[in-house]
Amino acid sequence: MLDSAVVATKKMFFREAIAKAVREEMALNDRIMVMGQDVGSFGGSYREFDGLFGEFGAERVRDMPVAENASIGIGAGAAAAGYRPLVTITYMDFLMLGFDPLINYAAKLRYKTAGGLTAPLVVKTTAGAQGQGVAHSQCIEAWLMSVPGLTVVAPSTPADAYGLMKTALRADGPVVYIDHKRLFPAPGEVPVLESLVPFGLAAVRRAGTDVTITAHSFMVRMALEAAETLESEGISCEVIDLRSLAPLDMPAIAQSVARTGALVTLEEGQLTSGVGAEVAARLFETTGHRRWARVGALPAPVSSNPVLEAACVPDARRVAEAVHKLLAR
Amino acid sequence: MLDSAVVATKKMFFREAIAKAVREEMALNDRIMVMGQDVGSFGGSYREFDGLFGEFGAERVRDMPVAENASIGIGAGAAAAGYRPLVTITYMDFLMLGFDPLINYAAKLRYKTAGGLTAPLVVKTTAGAQGQGVAHSQCIEAWLMSVPGLTVVAPSTPADAYGLMKTALRADGPVVYIDHKRLFPAPGEVPVLESLVPFGLAAVRRAGTDVTITAHSFMVRMALEAAETLESEGISCEVIDLRSLAPLDMPAIAQSVARTGALVTLEEGQLTSGVGAEVAARLFETTGHRRWARVGALPAPVSSNPVLEAACVPDARRVAEAVHKLLAR
Amino acid sequence: MTPNALDMLRAMARIRAFETALSERKDHGFQLLSSGEEAVAVGLASALTERDQLLTGGRSIGPAIARGVDPRAVMAELLGKTAGVNGGRAGRGHLSDPASGFFGAHAVVGGNISIAAGVALAKQMDGDGGIVAILFGDGACGAGALHETLNIAAKWKLPLLFVCNNNQWSVSTSREDALAPARLSDLGKTFGLPSRTIDGLDVEAVAAALGEAAQSVRRGEGPAFVECISIRLRSHSTTARETRKRDELAELRTRCPIRRQIARLGLDDDAVEALERDAADFAAAALAFAEASPYPSAAEVLTDVG
Amino acid sequence: MTPNALDMLRAMARIRAFETALSERKDHGFQLLSSGEEAVAVGLASALTERDQLLTGGRSIGPAIARGVDPRAVMAELLGKTAGVNGGRAGRGHLSDPASGFFGAHAVVGGNISIAAGVALAKQMDGDGGIVAILFGDGACGAGALHETLNIAAKWKLPLLFVCNNNQWSVSTSREDALAPARLSDLGKTFGLPSRTIDGLDVEAVAAALGEAAQSVRRGEGPAFVECISIRLRSHSTTARETRKRDELAELRTRCPIRRQIARLGLDDDAVEALERDAADFAAAALAFAEASPYPSAAEVLTDVG
Ligand SMILES: Cc1ncc(C[n+]2csc(CCOP(=O)(O)OP(=O)(O)O)c2C)c(N)n1
Ligand SMILES: Cc1ncc(C[n+]2csc(CCOP(=O)(O)OP(=O)(O)O)c2C)c(N)n1
Ligand SMILES: [Mg+2]
Ligand SMILES: [Mg+2]
C-alpha cells in the first residue's frame, strides 16, 4: 500500500497532484486528451489542469461548450475508437446530464460487444457542498457504484488524487473520478517519482481499536477530526479511506471491523441506498452482523445558506456523536 | 388498507387500471394533463392511455417529440405554475435524460423557495427486463428513493396501479410512478368506485410465519411464486409488497419481521446500494439485526438475449434458494 | 427622449450600485454580477407586464431587480437571511418571486429554459394574456435543452420569449470558441421563430426590440427569439480569475451601457450626481435591511423538503 | 445506368428479403425493420470506404448489411445466437462490427450521435483519411444530443457525415407533429454545415448526394448534413400497432425504392426473378447459419462486464 512504502515526496495541493498525474500520463501516452469546460488556457475551475494547455496544445486539451451530454458522448466514442479522453464535468450534479452516454452506452459497451469494444474513458467531476446551493452540491456516487461496468474512485489526499488518476488513465473501461470542492485547497505529500494507486484498495488513515469509521473523499477529514476528539476521551477509532467505491475493498473493512467490532459508515451524500448501506450490507453478508451506525446528509437538499448547509451535511461533531451512541449500545 | 376493505371490483388489465385512474382524475381536475411520446391517438406504448385523447382532446393529452429532458422540464414548469402534468418516459433508462429537470429542479423546488412553489408533477415510466436489451431494461428506482423531495411508487397489481396513480395525481410534489413491462398483460380486480391507495403504505400479499419477503413491482409476483413453492416444502413466507419506495412503510416491515425473524429483500435492479440494502438498514436501525438475505440482478447489464436476461434478473427459483439458505443459517 | 428613458437609466444605475455594494461584502461566498449587462435586464423588464413571468439563468440579480422584486429582499436572500425573498435558502442563482413576475433563477446552465416553457404552457392554458420570458446566456446556447425546448415551444406556439444575453463569454470560453452559428438568433430561426440579433448595450434599442417581440408573442403568434449582444465588465464571478487583458477590459468599459445612456440623454454633472446618489441610497437601503435580518436557524433544515 | 446501379438494387433486395425472413420468425421478440428505407442504407454504404465507420440508431439491420457486415452473423445476432456478430448479446438495436466499418447501432434515440462524433474525433486525430457517418431518424431530431453534437462537430470540423433518415414517423408521431423546422437539414445549416434535403427513395440520388457530402467531409471541410426523405412501409416494429390507414399504406407501397429502381433499370421478368432468387438465397443462408448456432450459456452472464 502506498502509505507504508518509503518514497520521496513533495508537498503539493490536490489540484497540483491531479495536474501532475495527467501531465505524466499525457507525456507517456499520446492518446490521452483532456476535454471539458474551461480546461484550456483557464486550466480548469480549480486550476487542476494548470499548464497542460500550454504543454500539450489545443488538440489534446480541449475547451468544450456547456454540453455535458455530448461531452461525455464524444469522450465515450473517442474512447471506443482507441483514445483515452479525460472528460471533466464541473459539478457532479451536471453529470446527470451526461448519464445517458456514460451509463447507457459507455458502461455497457464491453458487455454488449462481448468484449469487442471498450471505452477507456475517465470522467472527472467534483462533488460536495461548499456554499454552492441545491443544484451544485450533490454527492451521487452511490448511484454510480451500482452500475455494472463502471469504476468509481474518490480520493481524499493529494497522493491518492495523483495515484488514482494515473491508474484511471490506464484503465480499460469507464472510470468516474470524483474530487471535492473542499479538498482543492488541501496540501499533502505526493510521491515525486511515478507511482500508482490501484483500484479496489482502501487505506487505513488512522489505526484504532474501538470502532472502524469508513469514509471517502472530504469526509475522511471529518472522520479524522472526530477520531482526534474521541481519542482525548479515550475512544480509539480506526479510520478507513475507501478511495475506491467500485470496486470496494471489503477485505480491508472486514479485517478492521473484525478487530474493532463496530462500524460507522460516513458519507456526505444521502444515507438512503447510499455508500454506507452497501458497505455494511456486504460486510455483514460475509462476517455476520456487527454494531453499525451510519452518518450522512440529512434528507434535504443542500442549501447555499451557510446555516442550512452546515446543518445538512455531516461534520466531525456528528461523527463523534454517532460513535458515542454506537459504543454505548 | 385497500386489501382488507370490502369493495366492488372489476377485472381489468394493468394498463386499463392506469387509464381508469387518469381518466377519473382528469374529469375531476381540469389542470391535469398527459404529456409524452405516443400518448395521443396511439394511447401509449402499452395502451395505458387508451381513449384519453379522444375524451380529453389534444390540449390535455399531448404527444411530445423524443426530448426527454424538455418533456420533464416543461412538465415541471407547468406544475410549478399551477398545472398537474403527468409526463411519461417510455423506459426508465431514458429517465436519466430528464434527471436534470426532475432532480435538480423539481425535487428541490419546494425547498429552495421555502415552500413558495411546488411542482405537483407525476413522471410515469416503465422499468424492467423483457427482451429489450442493455439500454431498455434498467431498474434505477433506488437512486430516486435517495432524492429528498421525490416520492417514488411502484405498484404490482392493477388495483394499486389505479389507486397509486390517483394519489399521485393529487400529490403536492413530484412523484415518480414506475410500472413494469411484464405487468401490462396482467389482469386483476380493481375497485369499481373511486378509491385511493395512500403513499407510504405497504401491503401484505401473503401471510406467513417463517420469513418475510419484501418486493415491489413485478418482483412481487416472483416472491409469491416462490412462496407457493416453498409452502409445499413446509416453509411459510410472508410477502410484503412495498408499493411505495419513498416513503417506505417501515412499520409494516418491522411488524412482519418481528413475527418471522427473517428477511429476504427482493428487487429486479442491482443489489449495490439498492432498495433491499435500504430496507434492511432502516429496519435494523430500529429493531436490531435480524437474519437477512438480498436477491437482485447479477452485477451485469441486462442483455436482450433470452438466456443471458434470464440468468441476470431474479426469478422465483432464486428467491426460493435464498430463503432456503437463509433459514438454514 | 422616449418617455421612460430616464427611468431605465435610473434602473440600470441602481442595479450597478446594488451589485457593487454586494460585491464589497465577502460573507456571501461569491456572486455572479451583471455589470455591462444592465441594459438587457432593464430593457427586457420594460417589455413585460404584470401578468408576465420572467425566468433566468444564474446571473439573475440585475434581472430580478429590474423586474421589480423588492431589492431589500433580494439582498437579504443573497446574504442568506430570513428576510430574503426565499427565506435565505435559495441564495445566489436560485431566487424567485412569482408574485412580482419573477418566476425564478436556476443556476444550472440551460436548465431553466424548459421550465420556462412549462410556465408558458400554463399561461397559454390559462389564457390570461400573460407571456413568459426566459433569459439565458450565450453559454446556454450549447446545451441540448435549448434545442428541445425551442422545437416544442415552436410546435405548440407557446407564449415564450427567448432572450439570449450574449455577453460573449461562458466563464473563460469565448462565444466564438464555443458556438458555431453565425448568429445565436439563427437557433430560433431554424424553428421558424421571429428572430433578431440586437445591440444589448443600448437600453432603448433593447426595450424597443423586446417590446416588439413581446407583442408578437402576446398576440399568440408563438415564441420569438432575440439575441442581445452585451459585455461582461467583471470576471465570471466575484471569486473567479479574470482572463481578459487590462486593455481589453478598459476598452469594454468605454462601452458601458450606463455611460452610454447618460451621454445619450445629455445629463449634466448634477443630474449624474443625483443619479448616483439615488442608486447608492437604493443599495444602502437594501444592505441595511439585509443586515438587520437574522440567519435562519439550523432547525429549519428539514422543513419544506417534500 | 451508373456502374453500380444494379449492385445497389441487389443490395436493397437482399435487405428486404433478409428482414422479411427475420420477421416471419417470432423467437426474437420483435425487430425494427426498414422496408421502404433500403435506398438510404444502400446509397449511404456506397458513399463510404473501408476506412470509414458507420453508426446508426436502433433501426440498424439494413444499414449493417449494406455496410458489408456478414449477414449470417447479423441474423445469428438478432436471434441471440453465439455465432452472432456480438456473440448474441447485443441483439436488436445494438449490433456492431467495427472491423467491417460498422461501429455500431445504439437503440437510445439520439444516443449514438455524440458517440459518432467521438469516433470522428478519433479519426481526425488518427489522420488516416477515414470519415464517420451517423444515421439517425427524424425522431432523433427532437433530441438535444443532436444540437450539442452538431455544434461541437462544426466547431472542431470533425469528419462526420450526419445522415437523417426521415421516414416521417417516430412510432405513431408524425414528423410534422413532432418537429418545427421546415426542413430537417436546416438543423445542420444553422451550424454552418453544407446541408441538403434529398429524395431518400431514389438510391442513385442518395448515393450521389451522400457521395458528394462524404467527399467534402473527407477533404477536411468539416461535417455535412443530409436529410433523406424516405418511407416506412411496415409498422414501427414487428409487434407495434400500425396506425396508418390501409389506403395510405397502399399508396406508400407504390413508392417502394426497390420497385422504383427495378423500373428505372427496366429489368424484365427474368431479371426480377433472378434478383428475388438471389435475395431469397441470401436470406435463407443467413437464417440457416443462425439456426445452426447455439444460444450462449447462462454461465456467460458475468463475463465482459467491466
Ligand atoms: C449545466 C451546467 N454546466 C456548467 C455550469 C457551470 N457554469 C456556471 S455559469 C457558467 C457560464 C455560462 O455562460 P453563459 O450561459 O453565457 O452565462 P454567463 O455566465 O455569461 O451569464 C457555467 C459554465 C453550470 N452551472 N451548469
Ligand atoms: C431516448 C429514447 N426515447 C424514446 C425511445 C423509444 N423509441 C424507440 S424507436 C423510437 C422512434 C424514433 O423515431 P426515429 O428517430 O424517426 O426513428 P425510426 O423509428 O423512424 O427509424 C422511439 C421513440 C428510445 N429508444 N430512446
Ligand atoms: Mg455568457
Ligand atoms: Mg422516423
Side-chain angles (χ1 to χ4, degrees), chain B residues 63-329:
Chain B
D63 275 334
M64 298 199 85
V66 182
E68 280 79 6
N69 182 299
S71 296
I72 294 186
I74 290 173
Y83 283 79
R84 292 190 160 271
L86 167 60
V87 175
T88 67
I89 298 294
T90 308
Y91 295 137
M92 196 169 207
D93 316 69
F94 317 148
L95 186 59
M96 296 181 207
L97 288 157
F99 265 17
D100 178 54
L102 179 67
I103 293 172
N104 291 331
Y105 183 84
K108 314 271 189 286
L109 187 61
R110 165 173 250 158
Y111 196 77
K112 79 176 185 176
T113 60
L117 287 170
T118 58
L121 164 75
V122 181
V123 175
K124 183 187 104 55
T125 191
T126 301
Q130 191 180 40
Q132 301 240 36
V134 294
H136 291 57
S137 303
Q138 290 164 90
C139 296
I140 54 173
E141 54 269 31
W143 306 358
L144 302 172
M145 284 171 61
S146 77
V147 177
L150 272 191
T151 296
V152 185
V153 297
S156 80
T157 68
D160 283 350
Y162 167 75
L164 286 170
M165 179 55 84
K166 286 182 71 86
T167 302
L169 289 169
R170 298 180 187 191
D172 266 359
V175 177
V176 180
Y177 177 103
I178 304 165
D179 43 44
H180 191 288
K181 296 175 189 75
R182 290 187 195 266
L183 286 171
F184 286 108
E189 294 296 324
V190 174
V192 173
L193 293 180
E194 170 151 304
S195 112
L196 276 76
V197 174
F199 293 157
L201 228 52
V204 178
R205 293 290 174 216
R206 181 190 176 108
T209 51
D210 297 330
V211 59
T212 301
I213 307 176
T214 62
H216 61 280
S217 191
F218 180 68
M219 283 295 130
V220 173
R221 299 177 150 252
M222 295 301 97
L224 289 170
E225 254 185 49
E228 196 84 20
T229 314
L230 289 164
E231 181 168 52
S232 66
E233 303 168 24
I235 299 172
S236 165
C237 303
E238 181 141 310
V239 176
I240 295 188
D241 182 352
L242 299 172
R243 303 201 289 194
S244 165
L245 299 176
L248 272 173
D249 186 354
M250 290 313 304
I253 300 166
Q255 276 161 34
S256 176
V257 179
R259 276 185 288 102
T260 62
L263 170 67
V264 170
T265 56
L266 168 63
E267 63 204 294
E268 184 175 329
Q270 289 297 314
L271 288 174
T272 292
S273 301
V275 177
E278 184 58 26
V279 164
R282 286 204 203 165
L283 180 69
F284 304 159
E285 269 166 2
T286 58
T287 66
H289 193 69
R290 295 291 178 273
R291 282 175 300 165
W292 168 46
R294 52 182 179 168
V295 181
L298 299 190
V302 180
S303 169
S304 59
N305 188 291
V307 176
L308 298 178
E309 179 183 282
C312 190
V313 302
D315 55 16
R317 195 187 43 77
R318 281 181 54 201
V319 177
E321 267 173 30
V323 168
H324 274 300
K325 256 206 204 150
L326 183 68
L327 297 187
R329 266 189 220 165

Side-chain angles (χ1 to χ4, degrees), chain A residues 17 20-25 28 32 160-171 177 193-197 199:
Chain A
K20 174 172 153 67
V22 178
R23 178 179 297 112
E24 287 175 7
E25 293 301 306
L28 284 171
I32 297 175
D160 284 350
Y162 166 75
L164 287 169
M165 178 57 84
K166 286 182 71 86
T167 303
L169 289 170
R170 299 181 186 190
Y177 176 103
L193 293 180
E194 169 149 304
S195 110
L196 275 77
V197 174
F199 294 158

